[in-house]
Amino acid sequence: MNDLLSRPWPWYVAGPLIGLMVPLLLKIGNKAFGISSSLRHICAACLPGRIDFFRYDWKKESWSLVLAAGIVLGGVLGGVVFRNPDPVRISAATEAGLKAVGIENTGGLHPAELFNFHALGTARGLILIVLGGFLVGFGTRYAGGCTSGHSITGMANLQWPSLVATCSFFAGGLLMTWVILPRILGL
Amino acid sequence: MKYLKYLLVGTGFGFVLTKSEAVSWFRIQEMFRFQSFHMYGLMFSAVLVAMVSIQLIKRFQVRTISGEPITLQPKEFSWGNIFGGATFGLGWAMTGACPGPLYALVGAGVPVMAVAVVAALSGVWVYGLIRHRLPH
């Protein structure tokens, strides 16, 4: 049992479980599965200012903040309590490609040398963590959803704008991975 | 107490995200380099299960546990789907995380991602500030 919980799960186990979040949230409270809107509610709760976009009754959306807190807790369970002691087994091609730009896969979910508090003092760490985070927040809100709201809920509900959004997510990701990221990592 | 169920669903989701390694920067790199089926299998099977579930909910007019009818809002097209979507994609490949994994990683042993969450919040805030000047 312990082994089952600490080992990584194959896609054909984890994927359907992720898909089940959609009917589960609809059944327990008529909520559409989507994570990025919680960021908006936090802004509305903490710093609405005079911005119309944040002036609404965020308390009605508290469920989404509780869901986000649960995700952090799930991360503690999956990544600390039942931590996988082995490195993430990525393909040999990716490993070689990353090694070529100076990233070694030595265990952990993220490259330890890029994603730690000291790295915030380096140009590449600051760009990846702070600018990257900023673009995730700005982009998901501008797009009206993220991987959960558009790519899973929206596409599963056959919404063509969600397909357009998903293709755009990918276009941005490919441009970053193939063109911009190697330059950032070279800093 | 009425929020406990959302805490449990969130915990389950965070756990599956971590166990599937969808939260891993390495897996996201692998996906954008087209060097493994893992993330694609994960997305396709998730969408398939969600799609069948939604069809069943509609066909049998399933209600919530408290008896309300279940409704899903349509997603309306905006130019933000394209411009905002591509912007998010850039950040996704940089941080190796979309919003769900961003939260999960804070708990899963990459605490510096809390800084990325604050950065994401500032991104949302700036969007709120300038959105009337952006094409939609």
CSV table of all heavy atoms in Angstrom, one decimal, chain A residues 157-179:
chain,number,residue,atom,x,y,z
A,157,ASN,N,-16.7,19.7,-22.6
A,157,ASN,CA,-18.1,20.2,-22.8
A,157,ASN,C,-18.2,20.7,-24.3
A,157,ASN,O,-19.2,21.5,-24.6
A,157,ASN,CB,-18.4,21.3,-21.8
A,157,ASN,CG,-19.9,21.7,-21.8
A,157,ASN,OD1,-20.7,20.8,-22.0
A,157,ASN,ND2,-20.2,22.9,-21.5
A,158,LEU,N,-17.3,20.4,-25.1
A,158,LEU,CA,-17.3,20.7,-26.6
A,158,LEU,C,-17.4,22.2,-26.9
A,158,LEU,O,-18.1,22.6,-27.8
A,158,LEU,CB,-18.4,19.9,-27.3
A,158,LEU,CG,-18.5,18.4,-26.9
A,158,LEU,CD1,-19.7,17.8,-27.6
A,158,LEU,CD2,-17.2,17.7,-27.4
A,159,GLN,N,-16.7,23.0,-26.1
A,159,GLN,CA,-16.7,24.4,-26.3
A,159,GLN,C,-15.5,24.8,-27.2
A,159,GLN,O,-14.3,24.6,-26.8
A,159,GLN,CB,-16.5,25.1,-25.0
A,159,GLN,CG,-17.6,24.8,-24.0
A,159,GLN,CD,-19.0,25.3,-24.5
A,159,GLN,OE1,-19.1,26.5,-24.8
A,159,GLN,NE2,-19.9,24.4,-24.6
A,160,TRP,N,-15.8,25.2,-28.5
A,160,TRP,CA,-14.7,25.5,-29.4
A,160,TRP,C,-13.7,26.6,-28.9
A,160,TRP,O,-12.5,26.5,-29.1
A,160,TRP,CB,-15.2,25.7,-30.8
A,160,TRP,CG,-15.9,27.0,-31.0
A,160,TRP,CD1,-17.3,27.1,-31.0
A,160,TRP,CD2,-15.4,28.2,-31.3
A,160,TRP,NE1,-17.6,28.4,-31.2
A,160,TRP,CE2,-16.5,29.1,-31.4
A,160,TRP,CE3,-14.1,28.7,-31.5
A,160,TRP,CZ2,-16.3,30.5,-31.7
A,160,TRP,CZ3,-14.0,30.1,-31.8
A,160,TRP,CH2,-15.1,30.9,-31.9
A,161,PRO,N,-14.2,27.6,-28.2
A,161,PRO,CA,-13.2,28.6,-27.7
A,161,PRO,C,-12.1,27.9,-26.8
A,161,PRO,O,-11.0,28.4,-26.7
A,161,PRO,CB,-14.0,29.6,-26.9
A,161,PRO,CG,-15.4,29.5,-27.5
A,161,PRO,CD,-15.6,28.1,-27.9
A,162,SER,N,-12.5,26.9,-26.1
A,162,SER,CA,-11.6,26.2,-25.2
A,162,SER,C,-10.5,25.4,-26.0
A,162,SER,O,-9.4,25.3,-25.6
A,162,SER,CB,-12.3,25.2,-24.3
A,162,SER,OG,-13.1,25.9,-23.4
A,163,LEU,N,-10.9,25.0,-27.2
A,163,LEU,CA,-10.0,24.3,-28.1
A,163,LEU,C,-9.0,25.4,-28.6
A,163,LEU,O,-7.8,25.1,-28.7
A,163,LEU,CB,-10.7,23.6,-29.3
A,163,LEU,CG,-9.8,22.9,-30.3
A,163,LEU,CD1,-9.1,21.8,-29.6
A,163,LEU,CD2,-10.6,22.4,-31.5
A,164,VAL,N,-9.5,26.5,-29.0
A,164,VAL,CA,-8.7,27.6,-29.5
A,164,VAL,C,-7.7,28.0,-28.3
A,164,VAL,O,-6.5,28.2,-28.6
A,164,VAL,CB,-9.5,28.9,-29.8
A,164,VAL,CG1,-8.6,30.1,-30.1
A,164,VAL,CG2,-10.4,28.5,-31.0
A,165,ALA,N,-8.2,28.1,-27.1
A,165,ALA,CA,-7.3,28.5,-26.0
A,165,ALA,C,-6.2,27.4,-25.8
A,165,ALA,O,-5.1,27.7,-25.6
A,165,ALA,CB,-8.1,28.6,-24.7
A,166,THR,N,-6.6,26.1,-25.8
A,166,THR,CA,-5.6,25.1,-25.6
A,166,THR,C,-4.5,25.1,-26.7
A,166,THR,O,-3.4,24.9,-26.3
A,166,THR,CB,-6.4,23.7,-25.6
A,166,THR,OG1,-7.4,23.7,-24.6
A,166,THR,CG2,-5.4,22.6,-25.3
A,167,CYS,N,-4.9,25.3,-27.9
A,167,CYS,CA,-3.9,25.4,-29.0
A,167,CYS,C,-3.0,26.6,-28.7
A,167,CYS,O,-1.8,26.5,-28.9
A,167,CYS,CB,-4.6,25.6,-30.3
A,167,CYS,SG,-5.5,24.1,-30.8
A,168,SER,N,-3.5,27.7,-28.2
A,168,SER,CA,-2.7,28.8,-27.9
A,168,SER,C,-1.8,28.6,-26.7
A,168,SER,O,-0.6,29.0,-26.7
A,168,SER,CB,-3.6,30.1,-27.6
A,168,SER,OG,-4.5,30.2,-28.6
A,169,PHE,N,-2.3,27.8,-25.7
A,169,PHE,CA,-1.4,27.5,-24.6
A,169,PHE,C,-0.2,26.8,-25.2
A,169,PHE,O,1.0,27.0,-24.8
A,169,PHE,CB,-2.0,26.5,-23.6
A,169,PHE,CG,-3.3,26.9,-22.9
A,169,PHE,CD1,-4.1,26.0,-22.3
A,169,PHE,CD2,-3.7,28.3,-22.9
A,169,PHE,CE1,-5.3,26.4,-21.6
A,169,PHE,CE2,-4.8,28.7,-22.2
A,169,PHE,CZ,-5.6,27.7,-21.6
A,170,PHE,N,-0.4,25.9,-26.1
A,170,PHE,CA,0.6,25.0,-26.7
A,170,PHE,C,1.6,25.9,-27.5
A,170,PHE,O,2.8,25.7,-27.5
A,170,PHE,CB,0.0,23.9,-27.5
A,170,PHE,CG,0.4,22.6,-26.9
A,170,PHE,CD1,-0.3,22.1,-25.8
A,170,PHE,CD2,1.5,21.9,-27.3
A,170,PHE,CE1,0.0,21.0,-25.1
A,170,PHE,CE2,1.9,20.7,-26.6
A,170,PHE,CZ,1.1,20.2,-25.6
A,171,ALA,N,1.0,26.8,-28.3
A,171,ALA,CA,1.8,27.6,-29.1
A,171,ALA,C,2.8,28.4,-28.2
A,171,ALA,O,4.0,28.5,-28.5
A,171,ALA,CB,1.0,28.6,-29.9
A,172,GLY,N,2.3,29.0,-27.2
A,172,GLY,CA,3.2,29.7,-26.2
A,172,GLY,C,4.3,28.8,-25.6
A,172,GLY,O,5.4,29.2,-25.5
A,173,GLY,N,3.8,27.6,-25.2
A,173,GLY,CA,4.7,26.7,-24.6
A,173,GLY,C,5.8,26.2,-25.5
A,173,GLY,O,7.0,26.1,-25.1
A,174,LEU,N,5.5,26.0,-26.8
A,174,LEU,CA,6.5,25.6,-27.8
A,174,LEU,C,7.5,26.7,-28.1
A,174,LEU,O,8.7,26.4,-28.1
A,174,LEU,CB,5.8,25.1,-29.1
A,174,LEU,CG,5.0,23.8,-29.0
A,174,LEU,CD1,4.2,23.6,-30.3
A,174,LEU,CD2,5.9,22.7,-28.6
A,175,LEU,N,7.0,27.9,-28.2
A,175,LEU,CA,7.8,29.0,-28.5
A,175,LEU,C,8.8,29.2,-27.3
A,175,LEU,O,10.0,29.4,-27.5
A,175,LEU,CB,7.0,30.3,-28.6
A,175,LEU,CG,7.8,31.6,-28.8
A,175,LEU,CD1,8.4,31.6,-30.2
A,175,LEU,CD2,6.8,32.8,-28.7
A,176,MET,N,8.3,29.1,-26.1
A,176,MET,CA,9.2,29.2,-24.9
A,176,MET,C,10.3,28.1,-24.9
A,176,MET,O,11.5,28.3,-24.8
A,176,MET,CB,8.4,29.2,-23.6
A,176,MET,CG,9.2,29.3,-22.3
A,176,MET,SD,10.4,30.6,-22.2
A,176,MET,CE,9.3,32.1,-22.2
A,177,THR,N,9.8,26.8,-25.0
A,177,THR,CA,10.7,25.7,-24.9
A,177,THR,C,11.8,25.7,-26.0
A,177,THR,O,12.9,25.4,-25.7
A,177,THR,CB,9.8,24.4,-25.0
A,177,THR,OG1,8.9,24.4,-24.0
A,177,THR,CG2,10.7,23.2,-24.9
A,178,TRP,N,11.4,26.0,-27.2
A,178,TRP,CA,12.3,25.8,-28.3
A,178,TRP,C,13.1,27.0,-28.6
A,178,TRP,O,14.3,26.9,-29.2
A,178,TRP,CB,11.6,25.3,-29.6
A,178,TRP,CG,11.1,23.9,-29.4
A,178,TRP,CD1,9.8,23.6,-29.0
A,178,TRP,CD2,11.8,22.7,-29.7
A,178,TRP,NE1,9.7,22.2,-28.9
A,178,TRP,CE2,10.9,21.6,-29.4
A,178,TRP,CE3,13.1,22.4,-30.2
A,178,TRP,CZ2,11.3,20.3,-29.5
A,178,TRP,CZ3,13.4,21.1,-30.3
A,178,TRP,CH2,12.5,20.0,-30.0
A,179,VAL,N,12.6,28.2,-28.4
A,179,VAL,CA,13.3,29.4,-28.8
A,179,VAL,C,13.8,30.2,-27.6
A,179,VAL,O,15.0,30.6,-27.6
A,179,VAL,CB,12.4,30.3,-29.7
A,179,VAL,CG1,13.1,31.5,-30.2
A,179,VAL,CG2,11.8,29.5,-30.9
